[in-house]
C-alpha cells in the first residue's frame, strides 16, 4: 500500500474567535472524511485545540496538530505549553522550527531539543526548514543542510522515519509573498534534502522520511506542485483559513 500523503493546515494566530474556529474545523473535517489517500492535520492556536474535539463528525483521516511546544514537560515556564499537555489534548503532530518562530530567536539547538521532546512524547514532529533568500549561486543549499543537520542533532536512526520535513522557503511564505516555488525547482531541492538526510542516517532511512512543501500553496497551484514537486504533501498557511480553498487543495493532493 502506498503511504498516505499529508496536508497540514497552519492556522497561525487565526481565526479571532472560537466560534469561527469551530465552523472551520467542522467544514474541514467533513472534507477530510471523503479523502482516500490523504491525511489532514489542523494546527490551530493551542487555545482552540479542545474546540476541535467538540466539533461534530469524526474522521479517520483527520488529526490535530500544534504550532509549538516547550522543551520541558512541566514547571515554572510562564506562557508555555508542554508536550504531555498537547498529547493529552489529542494532538498527534507538532510543527517545530517554523520561520516565524526562528525569527523570534529560536535556534537550531533549541529546535533539536523540541524535536526530541515531541518524539519522546509519541507525537510526530513537523520540522520546518527553509532559506530566507534564494541566491543563484546555490548558497541557500548550505543554509538548508545546516538547518537540517543541526535541528536533528540527537534524533536517533530509530526515530528518524517519524519526522516530517517541511521545506518552506521563507521568501515564498505568506499572502504577500508572491508565488510558490517552481515545482521543478522544488523537486531538485527535495533530492538535495534527501541527500543531506542520507549523509546522516543512510540512504534507506532517508528515503523513509516524508518531505512536504509550504509557501503560498493555493488551490490554483496545488495540483502542479504535488504532481511535479516530488513531495508527500503540503504545509498550508493562509489558504487553510478558507474551507473552500483548502478543500480544493485537499482534492488536488488526493487525486494526484
Ligand atoms: P502560507 O504559509 O501558505 O501562507 O505561505 C505557509 C506557512 O507559513 O506554513
Amino acid at each position: 500500500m502506498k503511504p498516505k500523503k499529508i496536508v497540514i493546515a497552519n492556522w497561525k494566530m487565526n481565526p479571532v474567535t472560537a466560534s469561527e474556529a469551530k465552523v472551520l474545523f467542522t467544514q474541514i473535517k467533513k472534507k477530510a472524511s471523503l479523502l482516500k489517500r490523504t491525511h489532514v492535520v489542523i494546527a490551530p492556536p493551542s487555545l482552540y485545540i479542545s474546540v476541535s474535539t467538540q466539533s461534530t463528525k469524526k474522521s479517520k483521516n483527520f488529526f490535530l496538530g500544534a504550532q509549538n511546544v516547550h522543551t520541558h514537560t512541566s514547571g515554572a515556564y510562564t506562557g508555555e505549553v508542554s508536550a504531555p499537555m498537547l498529547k493529552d489534548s489529542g494532538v498527534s503532530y507538532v510543527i517545530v522550527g517554523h520561520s516565524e518562530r526562528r525569527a523570534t530567536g529560536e535556534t537550531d539547538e533549541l529546535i533539536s531539543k523540541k524535536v526530541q521532546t515531541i518524539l519522546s512524547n509519541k507525537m510526530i514532529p513537523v520540522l520546518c526548514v527553509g532559506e530566507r533568500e534564494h541566491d543563484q549561486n546555490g548558497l541557500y543549499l548550505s543554509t538548508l543542510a545546516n538547518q537540517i543537520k543541526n535541528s536533528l542533532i540527537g534524533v536517533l536512526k530509530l526515530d528518524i522515519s517519524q519526522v516530517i520535513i517541511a521545506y518552506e522557503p521563507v521568501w515564498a511564505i505568506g499572502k504577500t509573498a508572491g508565488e510558490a516555488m517552481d515545482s521543478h525547482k522544488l523537486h531538485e531541492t527535495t533530492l538535495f534534502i534527501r541527500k543531506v538526510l542520507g549523509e546522516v542516517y543512510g540512504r534507506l532511512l532517508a528515503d523513509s522520511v516524508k518531505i512536504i512543501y509550504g509557501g503560498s500553496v493555493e488551490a490554483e497551484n496545488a495540483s502542479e506542485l504535488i504532481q511535479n514537486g516530488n513531495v508527500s504533501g503540503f504545509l498550508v498557511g493562509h489558504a487553510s483559513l478558507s474551507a473552500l480553498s483548502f478543500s480544493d487543495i485537499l482534492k488536488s493532493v488526493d487525486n494526484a
Side-chain angles (χ1 to χ4, degrees), residues 10 12 98 100 168 172-175 214-217 235-239:
N10 177 9
K12 307 191 179 182
H98 192 281
E100 286 153 17
E168 295 209 307
I173 293 177
K175 221 184 205 154
S216 294
V217 176
L235 179 55
V236 185
H238 63 271

Side-chain angles (χ1 to χ4, degrees), residues 141-178:
L141 292 174
S142 56
T143 308
L144 262 184
N146 288 336
Q147 281 182 353
I148 295 166
K149 288 183 178 167
N150 295 336
S151 305
L152 289 174
I153 283 176
V155 175
L156 305 174
K157 280 192 167 181
L158 189 73
D159 290 325
I160 190 63
S161 59
Q162 293 297 309
V163 176
I164 295 178
I165 304 280
Y167 171 54
E168 295 209 307
V170 183
W171 50 266
I173 293 177
K175 221 184 205 154
T176 52

Side-chain angles (χ1 to χ4, degrees), residues 82-101:
S82 76
M85 291 172 189
L86 295 175
K87 180 80 182 164
D88 186 58
S89 305
V91 166
S92 314
Y93 294 80
V94 184
I95 299 171
V96 60
H98 192 281
S99 58
E100 286 153 17
R101 296 212 55 87

Side-chain angles (χ1 to χ4, degrees), residues 178-242:
E179 288 186 1
M181 189 177 214
D182 166 78
S183 61
H184 299 284
K185 203 87 202 130
L186 174 59
H187 192 128
E188 271 173 31
T189 313
T190 61
L191 298 179
F192 176 77
I193 292 172
R194 253 187 234 295
K195 184 171 126 324
V196 174
L197 289 170
E199 285 165 16
V200 184
Y201 295 99
R203 177 75 192 274
L204 210 64
L205 283 175
D207 284 349
S208 71
V209 175
K210 272 195 169 99
I211 301 175
I212 63 175
Y213 169 78
S216 294
V217 176
E218 319 263 358
E220 293 76 17
N221 59 19
S223 177
E224 165 66 21
L225 285 165
I226 198 77
Q227 280 174 38
N228 297 316
N230 193 35
V231 286
S232 300
F234 299 127
L235 179 55
V236 185
H238 63 271
S240 70
L241 294 167
S242 149

